[in-house]
Amino acid sequence: MDDVQPVQPFPTPARDARPQGQEQPADVVCVGETMAVLAPPDSRPLAEQSALSLGIGGAESNVACGLAGLGHRAAWVSRLGDDPFGRRILAELGARGVDVSAVETDPQRPTGVYFKDPGPGHTRTHYYRRGSAATGMGPELARWPALRRARIVHLSGVAAALSDSCARLLDALLSQRDGGRRGPVVSFDVNHRPALWRAAGTDAAQALLPLARAADIVFVGRDEAEALWGTAHPDDIADLLAPAPCVVVKDAEHGATSYTEGVRTFVPSLPTKVVEPVGAGDAFAAGYLAGVLEHRDERARLRLGHLTATAALRTRDDVPVLPPRSETDAFLTLDDDAWTATAP
């Protein structure tokens, strides 16, 4: 059963009031690194492969793609190398409906690359991103006008670990206010990547906690919170991340619990066969944020997150092809028993 307590959900971004005929800003602007992805075509380990497929992947652009697939205006802001990988990323994101007009090209630094290595029960990833173009992002990027006009700005802990200048950019975006008024809603996915933080020589637990607390909406895995801060119960995690007004704790196949200004809502995950978990958390964030943009209640936001995450779990691609909205929206209206018994 869904454990739901009625609430006027927080936060609800203001609707865009620009006159018709003028170019509208993005609903959500996602900021972070996207890399070229080289992946095997099947479940055999990387060392046994003779050919790899080329794709793209990045926590924040995955969210942008998910939102675009759900019918919202999404933009991605970053830096790419002046190389074939960078051009592939721009082309693919543009084809998926993501606005990439503010992406900068760096003629000196390369686009990052990573490899997927399938194994029993999990997929390892091997990153080659040190000194990439995206590591050159800095706080000056926070002055981009579209970031101020967006309804939501989405960030993740991955970007915070890329470089000192990227960490300062996240600080600027999380603290940015315009004339004493609150700017866009800021969404932050903890997205803990231990190897990335070890390479940076930074204490991830210490660095990520203030960023999460400064956001309006925080996404965190229960396992992440336990590994980072030794806090395993969703209620305790929400307390730890206060004063963040909205905390969403994901617990894999069990479900997700949100805390909006002290009100607790739990929705169980949908049963599904997992092909690969990479990208599922980003898909969940896209679904939940779509629910925020659509002014849906908290249960529907979590359900939409589960539906998009399920689509990601069923594919080896970082960004899944989402079912039509007519199909996903039908699941949002199911009663509790039908929800837990039915897979899309």
Side-chain angles (χ1 to χ4, degrees), residues 135-304:
T135 64
M137 291 188 295
E140 65 281 354
L141 192 63
R143 296 194 293 270
W144 187 50
L147 283 164
R148 295 176 180 270
R149 298 202 309 267
R151 296 168 65 188
I152 298 174
V153 172
H154 180 72
L155 312 170
S156 94
V158 174
L162 294 179
S163 65
D164 290 342
S165 63
C166 286
R168 292 197 299 274
L169 169 60
L170 263 66
D171 284 335
L173 290 170
L174 283 161
S175 62
Q176 186 169 270
R177 296 294 180 266
D178 184 9
R181 295 181 289 108
R182 291 182 64 85
V185 167
V186 179
S187 165
F188 180 76
D189 191 334
V190 171
N191 231 330
H192 180 220
R193 298 288 185 271
L196 194 57
W197 286 101
R198 285 195 297 270
T202 304
D203 184 336
Q206 187 174 14
L208 289 169
L209 186 58
L211 295 175
R213 287 173 170 170
D216 297 303
I217 303 173
V218 184
F219 299 99
V220 63
R222 189 204 60 76
D223 56 341
E224 286 180 309
E226 185 173 13
L228 282 166
W229 305 300
T231 307
H233 193 279
D235 293 352
D236 296 331
I237 295 168
D239 289 341
L240 175 71
L241 298 182
C246 177
V247 176
V248 180
V249 182
K250 302 167 294 179
D251 193 7
E253 70 275 13
H254 302 294
T257 309
S258 70
Y259 300 81
T260 52
E261 297 188 333
V263 178
R264 183 183 192 276
T265 306
F266 172 77
V267 173
S269 300
L270 289 166
T272 190
K273 180 180 179 180
V274 177
V275 174
E276 185 180 277
V278 176
D282 305 325
F284 182 96
Y288 184 91
L289 294 177
V292 173
L293 292 168
E294 295 162 16
H295 302 276
R296 296 185 183 271
D297 64 26
E298 197 63 22
R299 180 177 69 173
R301 295 180 185 185
L302 292 170
R303 283 188 173 188
L304 194 49

Side-chain angles (χ1 to χ4, degrees), residues 60 76 84 90 116 133 144 269 292 304 306 321 325 336 343:
E60 300 84 4
W76 173 69
L90 287 176
K116 287 186 176 182
W144 187 50
S269 300
V292 173
L304 194 49
H306 284 314
V321 175
R325 284 306 302 265
D336 295 346

Side-chain angles (χ1 to χ4, degrees), residues 119-140:
H122 72 287
T123 297
R124 295 184 63 190
T125 49
H126 303 276
Y127 295 98
Y128 298 86
R129 70 199 312 175
R130 181 173 295 181
S132 69
T135 64
M137 291 188 295
E140 65 281 354

Side-chain angles (χ1 to χ4, degrees), residues 1-52:
M1 297 288 288
D2 297 358
D3 175 12
V4 180
Q5 302 179 38
V7 63
Q8 179 62 39
F10 181 91
T12 301
R15 293 187 181 275
D16 181 26
R18 290 162 65 89
Q20 289 186 346
Q22 294 188 23
E23 181 182 354
Q24 291 184 327
D27 292 323
V28 180
V29 177
C30 303
V31 183
E33 181 173 35
T34 294
M35 294 171 288
V37 182
L38 291 162
D42 54 44
S43 59
R44 289 179 299 145
L46 189 61
E48 298 178 10
Q49 300 289 343
S50 58
L52 302 174

